[in-house]
Amino acid sequence: MAEPIGDSGPMDMRQIKVFCDLVETRSFSKAAELSMISQSAVSQQIKAMEKQLRLQLIDRSCRPLALTQAGSICYAGCREIYSRYEELRNRLASFAY
């Protein structure tokens, strides 16, 4: 079995959402708008994920934005995690006080 990568703490749901928004819009400015944060904050979130994972997720030499192979795999997992998170929130909403 392969060793897990990264050692600087877990990704949080906000990072996962920002990453998904970035991939789906292919734009730092549009991802910032969707996430209601600045463009530089989007960039910082992505760099933090890359540092945590010790992987490059985004090919910054390409326009429009392109994912690395690791970024594509990461996106598929992040999209699934975020979708399940949203589904759980929706299912639990009726119990909120």
Side-chain angles (χ1 to χ4, degrees), residues 21-91:
D21 287 346
L22 176 63
V23 172
E24 291 162 9
T25 63
R26 301 279 186 203
S27 165
F28 280 86
S29 61
K30 288 178 183 166
E33 225 175 271
L34 285 173
S35 299
M36 295 185 273
I37 59 175
S38 69
Q39 232 177 299
S40 64
V42 170
S43 184
Q44 289 169 359
Q45 291 286 324
I46 301 307
K47 285 179 183 174
M49 281 182 70
E50 290 176 325
K51 184 177 179 184
Q52 287 169 325
L53 296 171
R54 289 185 281 157
L55 294 168
Q56 184 177 350
L57 302 174
I58 306 293
D59 182 349
R60 289 171 176 81
S61 67
C62 293
R63 295 285 185 256
L65 180 136
L67 295 175
T68 62
Q69 186 175 5
S72 292
I73 293 167
C74 186
Y75 170 68
C78 285
R79 172 47 46 215
E80 183 175 339
I81 289 166
Y82 196 74
S83 292
R84 287 179 176 228
Y85 170 73
E86 285 293 300
E87 179 183 319
L88 177 62
R89 283 184 55 191
N90 290 335
R91 290 178 68 191

